[in-house]
Amino acid sequence: MKVYLLRHAKAVPGFPDASRCLAERGRAQALAMGRFFKGKASFAPRVLWHSPLARAVETAELFLEAWGSAVSETGEMEALEPEMDPQPVIDALERCTSDILIVGHNPNLEILASQLLCEERCRSRICLKTGSMICLEWAPVSNYGQFGPCILRWMMDPRLLA
């Protein structure tokens, strides 16, 4: 199973944080990323989970629109909000069998990626800029807590698409 982590695209500043929408540059980032993956047979998530915050929802919608493919299941997860503990996401991933696209925020996504890669809970071991996506492969083995259940396959920064 592939786990794709997509950080929301560039958002406008403002308050309240939950209602911040994408900036024009962010809209372009989400659309460009979706267009990049359009027609690529190796990219085929069937499940989409996203944060309930406006900028993550908008990123997911624009990405799906540009990608042009459908997912069979969509879910909103509070555990993907910026300051939430990502452990419930990992627990849900353990029950998932399809490739999945997860759209969220930092520091949550960076911590989630670190836990999935190396069981690091206290600090992130990866840097996700706005609009960036990483592909992890779910490959758990008995490891006595020495490393996470995933391996890193690739990372895509939207600036590479400009």
Side-chain angles (χ1 to χ4, degrees):
M1 167 179 83
K2 300 270 187 342
V3 178
Y4 302 96
L5 301 181
L6 174 61
R7 183 176 172 203
H8 70 80
K10 181 71 175 166
V12 297
F15 187 81
D17 184 59
S19 62
R20 291 173 48 213
C21 61
L22 295 183
E24 194 56 41
R25 184 172 119 211
R27 294 178 60 78
Q29 285 175 331
L31 289 168
M33 190 69 81
R35 282 191 299 268
F36 176 80
F37 287 103
K38 186 175 184 139
K40 295 202 174 20
S42 62
F43 182 81
R46 304 303 338 142
V47 177
L48 167 69
W49 295 341
H50 61 80
S51 156
L53 277 59
R55 58 195 181 273
V57 173
E58 191 176 358
T59 298
E61 289 171 349
L62 290 170
F63 179 91
L64 289 177
E65 175 188 319
W67 179 41
S69 294
V71 294
S72 57
E73 178 187 331
T74 302
E76 184 176 282
M77 295 186 80
E78 288 182 15
L80 290 170
E81 290 182 26
E83 303 297 329
M84 299 297 283
D85 178 4
Q87 188 59 49
V89 179
I90 296 170
D91 295 341
L93 282 171
E94 290 174 349
R95 296 183 299 276
C96 196
T97 58
S98 300
D99 289 1
I100 182 166
L101 173 61
I102 298 174
V103 183
H105 314 264
N106 280 345
N108 181 283
L109 276 188
E110 289 178 344
I111 295 168
L112 173 61
S114 295
Q115 283 186 250
L116 290 173
L117 290 169
C118 60
E119 286 290 328
E120 180 65 65
R121 295 183 59 88
C122 299
R123 57 186 166 175
S124 62
R125 293 289 188 174
I126 194 160
C127 178
L128 285 172
K129 299 286 189 189
T130 55
S132 294
M133 182 187 296
I134 62 171
C135 174
L136 305 174
E137 185 172 343
W138 187 264
V141 296
S142 297
N143 62 31
Y144 309 102
Q146 295 176 359
F147 49 89
C150 290
I151 56 175
L152 177 65
R153 285 294 176 199
W154 50 259
M155 182 172 189
M156 172 65 74
D157 185 312
R159 294 172 292 183
L160 297 171
L161 303 175

